[in-house]
Structure formats: C-alpha cells, structure tokens
Amino acid sequence: MVSKSSNNASELSPKYAVMGFLYIRPMYGYELHKYLKTSLYEVWHISQSQAYNIIKNLEKDNWITTTIQTQEKLPDRELLALTQYGTTAFETWLNTPTPGSARAIRVEFITRLFFASHLGEGQYFRLIKEQGDNIRTSLEDLYSRLSLIPTDLVFNRMGLELRISQLTAILDWVENSTKYFKEGLNILANEKH
C-alpha cells in the first residue's frame, strides 16, 4: 500500500534522493549514505543517522524492502531495494515539476536532474523543458497578482516583486542548465580516452 505522503509528490524531502539511488540499483545503507554525501552534498545535508531514519520510514511505508545478507566473520548486511510502490512513488515524484520557489528548485529540481542524468539525455532535457514551462506559468500568476495589489500596499508589492525577480533568475538558470548535462558528457568522454 502507498502511504498518504506519496500523494504529495512535491514535498521537499530527502527521501526521494534516498529512493533515487535505490531506483538506480539496490544498495547497502552505508553505501547509499556515501553516495548521498559525495553526489548531492551541496543539495542535501543528511547525516548517516538521518539517512537510516529515512530508510526505516520508507521501509515502514512499504516503499523499500530489505534483504539480509550474511557474511563470514562479519556482521550481516542489509541490501535495500525499492518495492513496486516505491518505484511508482519515485517515478511520480521524478516526473512532477517542482513548485516555483527558490528553495524547491535548489533542492528538489536539482535532485530530479541528478537522477534524470542517470536515466538518459531525453529524460534530462524533458525535465528542464517542463520545469521552465512550470516557472513561466508561476510567473504569469505572480504578475497577475501584482497587477491587483494597490500601489499604496508597498510592502506587499515589494514581497511579490522580489519573488518575481527570484523566479525570473531561476528560469534563466533552468533554461541554461542543459549545458551542465553536455559538460558532464564531455567529461565522461574524456575519461574514457
């Protein structure tokens, strides 16, 4: 069964980053935390204990499963994998545009792009296009709201104008983020030579 929290695909939660690594392949908890620390450190600051708490909650929600693997002369290890419910929840999250706020774009959208880059060029560029469209729609809404605010409500106008400025800059960054994928491909090509 999918928990209620899966209905909100846009919640700002590191659980989707954890699930993303398991979407790529099953991993051990320590290994998963290592990938989080190295690959998404500037996006999510997750301690090892936080990662294990997330794993426990995902297991409780039936989004991941654990297989015990015994080792000779060493403690048993738990191999983590997504369940079908977890896979569905992750794919829903991956394919849902991020809300138009600076923090959401910084943590959620970049995380989506990270995992999309592992799934292929088409997925990466599709996410960028959809996110750009989503931000443009948000900007249209904000401009409409701004036009309705009386000029004497200065601080309301200032707050909304700041949000518009931030989203405009973010839209420019999103539209230019295709270069990061291309740069990454060039780095990988050079490493093979």
Side-chain angles (χ1 to χ4, degrees), residues 15-40:
K15 73 181 178 187
Y16 293 105
V18 168
M19 292 168 68
F21 286 106
L22 298 177
Y23 187 81
I24 293 169
R25 68 176 176 80
M27 293 184 182
Y28 301 101
Y30 178 80
E31 176 186 26
L32 193 148
H33 182 255
K34 183 181 88 172
Y35 278 111
L36 274 166
K37 273 183 71 172
T38 58
S39 300
L40 293 171

Side-chain angles (χ1 to χ4, degrees), residues 40 43 104-115 173:
L40 293 171
V43 180
I105 297 292
R106 184 182 63 78
V107 295
E108 190 175 82
F109 179 65
I110 291 175
T111 304
R112 280 192 175 100
L113 282 183
F114 174 80
F115 292 111
W173 176 86

Side-chain angles (χ1 to χ4, degrees), residues 136-151:
R136 277 187 281 286
T137 300
S138 294
L139 281 169
E140 288 172 12
D141 177 58
L142 292 176
Y143 277 116
S144 293
R145 288 172 46 195
L146 182 63
S147 71
L148 299 174
I149 297 176
T151 54

Side-chain angles (χ1 to χ4, degrees), residues 111-174:
T111 304
R112 280 192 175 100
L113 282 183
F114 174 80
F115 292 111
S117 72
H118 287 79
L119 301 175
E121 185 176 325
Q123 179 83 340
Y124 186 90
F125 291 119
R126 182 187 61 77
L127 287 181
I128 290 171
K129 182 191 178 319
E130 288 176 359
Q131 191 63 54
D133 292 345
N134 182 271
I135 292 171
R136 277 187 281 286
T137 300
S138 294
L139 281 169
E140 288 172 12
D141 177 58
L142 292 176
Y143 277 116
S144 293
R145 288 172 46 195
L146 182 63
S147 71
L148 299 174
I149 297 176
T151 54
D152 62 327
L153 295 177
V154 174
F155 296 101
N156 286 326
R157 293 183 66 81
M158 287 174 64
L160 205 48
E161 286 174 359
L162 178 59
R163 286 184 64 198
I164 289 169
S165 295
Q166 288 175 324
L167 268 186
T168 301
I170 289 169
L171 177 61
D172 183 52
W173 176 86
V174 165

Side-chain angles (χ1 to χ4, degrees), residues 28 52 66-79:
Y28 301 101
Y52 281 109
T66 305
T67 304
I68 305 294
Q69 295 188 333
T70 57
Q71 303 180 93
E72 224 177 283
K73 298 182 182 180
L74 292 170
D76 293 347
R77 298 192 323 171
E78 295 181 348
L79 184 65

